[in-house]
Amino acid sequence: MLSSSSAAAAAAVVLTTTSGRAPLLHLPRTPRPTTAARIAAAPDSCRARAGGAPLLLGSAVPRRRGWALVCRDSSLPGPPGVDPVAEEEENRKKTEAVAAAAAARIASSGGGGGGGGGSLSDWTTSVLIFGIWAGLMYYIFQLAPNQTPYRDTYFLQKLCNLKGDDGFRMNDVLVPLWYIMGLWPLVYSMLLLPTGRSSKSKIPVWPFLILSCIGGAYALIPYFVLWKPPPPPIDEEEIGQWPLKFLESKLTAGVTFAVGLGLIVYAAKAGGEDWQEFIRYFRESKLIHITCLDFCLLSAFSPFWVYNDLTARRWKNGSWLLPLALIPFVGPSLYLLLRPSLSSLLAATGPSDDKTQ
């Protein structure tokens, strides 16, 4: 025991004496890793954690408080209860819902605007037609020439066959014009029934057609203002009843076309003196003046109703008749003669087509 204690004491004395004279032995030290090196070493530590042993970043260096960093590999599953596939699908659905909502807002502002634009266009057209009709009424009662009221009464009696033969010869242009004006209500009845009826406004067309026998276009224009397509559905039983059976008859259309064409030819063959006299009547007589305006209005509106009837009957091969409809009376009456009947249209379409229509 004494020998070992003395040996240890001697060694301590030797170290103490040498430390004051000679430098200590240089020992290698591990350099402290930088922050970038620790970040780069994070995946290795994470893989070590995946193996079951949790590691702390910087375990190879002297530990200091606050430097512990726990990492998780991106290939590992997420927190319990969260499915990545379901979460991605939910995010996709949310994105699609947002896109659909945006499209709906665009449709409501644009498409709704389009629908609103269509309603605005219909409203504007109705107001415009009503303004034309109101202006015509004002012109007829306030501004139209009325220099020969007594002669107008006499002409009216002669044209209605209320006055016998007194030796006075009526104008050869005025007489055909008067009888053609009696055919125009029939033409419009064949155009407006049934394809020109209004289903949205619930306003019947037949009262206006009856009034047009006396008032002509001046009685029909208010219906044009109130008209709102499409027409109500129709079945074969209604076609076989009055008045559609009469209005759809080719015999009615043929007689109307033949009589109208004959009256126009008769007026065209009138001499120059008759035409000069008729022009003078137009400038002086309110009856003849408003009758000529009525003929022009009926001729101007008829091409539209020809197109409406042609579209409703789905007659694609009859588009060549549209330019001919611009010819006063002859064009619309020729269309009525050549158009397909509603009964043949219903026979050509199947039951499924009828339900769709």
Side-chain angles (χ1 to χ4, degrees):
M1 290 294 292
L2 291 173
S3 60
S4 61
S5 301
S6 60
V13 171
V14 173
L15 288 174
T16 305
T17 37
T18 55
S19 63
R21 298 178 184 179
L24 296 176
L25 182 63
H26 180 72
L27 298 176
R29 298 179 61 184
T30 304
R32 180 177 296 177
T34 61
T35 304
R38 290 196 298 270
I39 295 174
D44 297 335
S45 62
C46 294
R47 284 189 291 271
R49 181 177 182 273
L55 297 178
L56 298 178
L57 183 61
S59 59
V61 297
R63 297 178 180 178
R64 294 191 303 168
R65 291 185 177 180
W67 285 93
L69 178 62
V70 181
C71 298
R72 182 178 65 87
D73 191 359
S74 60
S75 63
L76 297 177
V82 178
D83 188 2
V85 179
E87 185 177 1
E88 183 179 357
E89 182 69 18
E90 183 179 359
N91 293 335
R92 185 181 66 82
K93 289 181 179 180
K94 290 181 180 180
T95 304
E96 292 179 354
V98 172
R105 287 194 298 268
I106 294 174
S108 62
S109 60
S119 300
L120 179 62
S121 176
D122 296 340
W123 180 81
T124 305
T125 304
S126 298
V127 171
L128 179 61
I129 297 176
F130 178 79
I132 293 175
W133 179 78
L136 286 171
M137 293 297 100
Y138 179 79
Y139 177 81
I140 289 173
F141 291 104
Q142 299 294 331
L143 302 178
N146 191 20
Q147 300 179 10
T148 57
Y150 296 105
R151 189 177 64 187
D152 289 349
T153 304
Y154 175 78
F155 282 173
L156 187 60
Q157 293 175 351
K158 290 285 291 186
L159 292 171
C160 293
N161 295 322
L162 298 178
K163 185 178 286 292
D165 187 10
D166 55 0
F168 181 80
R169 187 183 69 89
M170 294 293 295
N171 186 271
D172 288 341
V173 180
L174 177 60
V175 173
L177 175 64
W178 177 261
Y179 286 112
I180 285 182
M181 295 306 298
L183 293 176
W184 269 118
L186 179 59
V187 171
Y188 268 87
S189 297
M190 299 172 72
L191 288 174
L192 296 178
L193 291 175
T195 58
R197 295 184 297 180
S198 180
S199 61
K200 292 184 178 180
S201 62
K202 304 298 182 181
I203 297 178
V205 63
W206 62 265
F208 299 91
L209 291 173
I210 294 176
L211 291 176
S212 67
C213 297
I214 301 175
Y218 309 116
L220 284 175
I221 292 178
Y223 177 76
F224 300 163
V225 175
L226 302 173
W227 177 68
K228 293 184 182 299
I234 185 175
D235 54 10
E236 191 172 0
E237 182 180 357
E238 185 179 358
I239 297 176
Q241 298 177 355
W242 174 268
L244 290 184
K245 185 176 182 180
F246 171 76
L247 297 176
E248 286 289 320
S249 172
K250 293 299 180 183
L251 178 61
T252 305
V255 171
T256 303
F257 173 76
V259 173
L261 183 62
L263 291 173
I264 292 176
V265 172
Y266 181 82
K269 292 176 63 177
E273 295 182 357
D274 288 322
W275 280 100
Q276 292 178 0
E277 184 183 36
F278 179 79
I279 294 175
R280 181 166 56 86
Y281 288 163
F282 176 80
R283 295 174 179 177
E284 299 174 352
S285 169
K286 173 175 283 191
L287 173 65
I288 299 176
H289 192 88
I290 64 176
T291 302
C292 293
L293 292 180
D294 191 8
F295 179 85
C296 294
L297 289 172
L298 293 171
S299 302
F301 282 109
S302 60
F304 169 78
W305 293 109
V306 167
Y307 172 77
N308 178 74
D309 187 79
L310 183 146
T311 305
R313 294 172 188 265
R314 292 173 285 179
W315 188 29
K316 299 180 180 179
N317 296 331
S319 58
W320 63 275
L321 286 170
L322 291 177
L324 296 180
L326 298 174
I327 303 176
F329 192 85
V330 176
S333 59
L334 178 62
Y335 165 79
L336 295 174
L337 179 62
L338 300 179
R339 69 178 181 178
S341 61
L342 290 176
S343 57
S344 63
L345 179 62
L346 291 178
T349 57
S352 59
D353 296 337
D354 294 340
K355 292 180 181 179
T356 304
Q357 183 67 16

